[in-house]
């Protein structure tokens, strides 16, 4: 009977070990995390490119693995490749300030959409953009107003301010900010 008790304990221990191995695999790098990433990344890339397409002629590609410089191993992370209007890959650093803003806005808006955030705050996002780019951003602002219950946009640009029906205007009088 003691032998039977030991066999039963051993069987229970093996079941526990199997269950723990299953959990280890599920929460390991190739488990649930990988499945979520494989599901989210293509949707995020599509959404970023939808937004970017309204602002520019370039596109991005997202990858979660990249070969090291030696090519002997793989790095994991989120790698963003940017392609210009001719399909050529360029570093983010090669783009102008206005083009960088477009890329940042597209990425942040796509992330906000995926996270299901109910509001957005955009603070002086449009500084340094040419007139054509600013007009494209006005179109994006209109789409954001439809998507978010609350959108706060801080801007000195008249055409951005005119995009919003409800406005709070702040002016400086003798060095003191006042709401008018």
């Amino acid at each position: 009977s003691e032998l039977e008790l030991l066999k039963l304990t051993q069987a229970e221990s093996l079941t526990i070990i199997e269950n723990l191995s299953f959990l280890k695999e599920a929460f390991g790098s190739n488990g649930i995390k990988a499945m979520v990433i494989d599901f989210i990344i293509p949707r995020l890339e599509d959404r970023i490119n939808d937004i970017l397409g309204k602002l520019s002629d370039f596109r991005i590609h997202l990858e979660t693995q990249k070969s090291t410089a030696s090519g002997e191993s793989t790095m994991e992370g989120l790698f963003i490749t940017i392609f210009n209007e001719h399909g050529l890959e360029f570093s983010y650093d090669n783009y102008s300030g206005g083009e960088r803003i477009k890329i940042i806005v597209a990425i942040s808006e796509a992330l906000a959409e995926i996270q299901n955030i109910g509001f957005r705050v955009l603070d002086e996002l449009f500084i340094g953009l040419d007139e054509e780019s600013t007009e494209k951003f006005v179109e994006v602002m209109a789409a954001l107003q439809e998507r978010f219950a609350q959108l706060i946009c801080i801007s000195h640009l008249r055409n951005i301010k005119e995009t919003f029906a409800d406005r709070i205007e702040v002016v400086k009088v003798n060095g003191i900010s006042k709401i008018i």
Side-chain angles (χ1 to χ4, degrees), residues 4 6 23 41 48 76 86 94 96 98 128-129 143 146 148 151 154 165 171:
E4 289 177 11
L6 286 174
L23 284 174
I41 294 297
I48 290 169
E76 289 191 5
H86 305 293
N94 290 353
S96 70
L129 294 177
E146 291 176 15
F148 295 104
L151 178 65
I154 301 164
V171 295

Side-chain angles (χ1 to χ4, degrees), residues 80-84 88-95:
I80 302 171
T81 306
I82 306 167
F83 297 96
N84 69 7
L88 301 173
E89 180 180 337
F90 279 95
S91 167
Y92 177 78
D93 295 334
N94 290 353
Y95 289 91

Side-chain angles (χ1 to χ4, degrees), residues 82 109 122 142 146 176:
I82 306 167
E109 291 310 314
L122 307 171
E146 291 176 15
I176 299 171

Side-chain angles (χ1 to χ4, degrees), residues 71-154:
E72 295 178 12
S73 62
T74 303
M75 298 183 299
E76 289 191 5
L78 182 60
F79 304 99
I80 302 171
T81 306
I82 306 167
F83 297 96
N84 69 7
E85 64 275 9
H86 305 293
L88 301 173
E89 180 180 337
F90 279 95
S91 167
Y92 177 78
D93 295 334
N94 290 353
Y95 289 91
S96 70
E99 291 170 327
R100 289 180 189 183
I101 289 172
K102 293 173 185 179
I103 294 166
I104 291 168
V105 165
I107 291 170
S108 64
E109 291 310 314
L111 285 169
E113 192 172 296
I114 284 176
Q115 295 172 0
N116 200 19
I117 295 174
F119 70 95
R120 295 293 291 134
V121 177
L122 307 171
D123 186 2
E124 294 295 352
L125 189 61
F126 314 100
I127 300 295
L129 294 177
D130 60 30
E131 189 173 323
E132 180 184 340
S133 294
T134 303
E135 289 304 317
K136 290 179 180 178
F137 267 104
V138 167
E139 293 172 21
V140 170
M141 289 295 101
L144 290 176
Q145 287 183 67
E146 291 176 15
R147 223 175 51 228
F148 295 104
Q150 296 177 327
L151 178 65
I152 298 171
C153 181
I154 301 164

Side-chain angles (χ1 to χ4, degrees), residues 2-19:
E2 192 174 317
L3 183 59
E4 289 177 11
L5 183 60
L6 286 174
K7 285 182 180 180
L8 184 60
T9 304
Q10 181 184 18
E12 289 173 352
S13 296
L14 288 174
T15 301
I16 290 171
I17 290 170
E18 282 180 20
N19 289 340

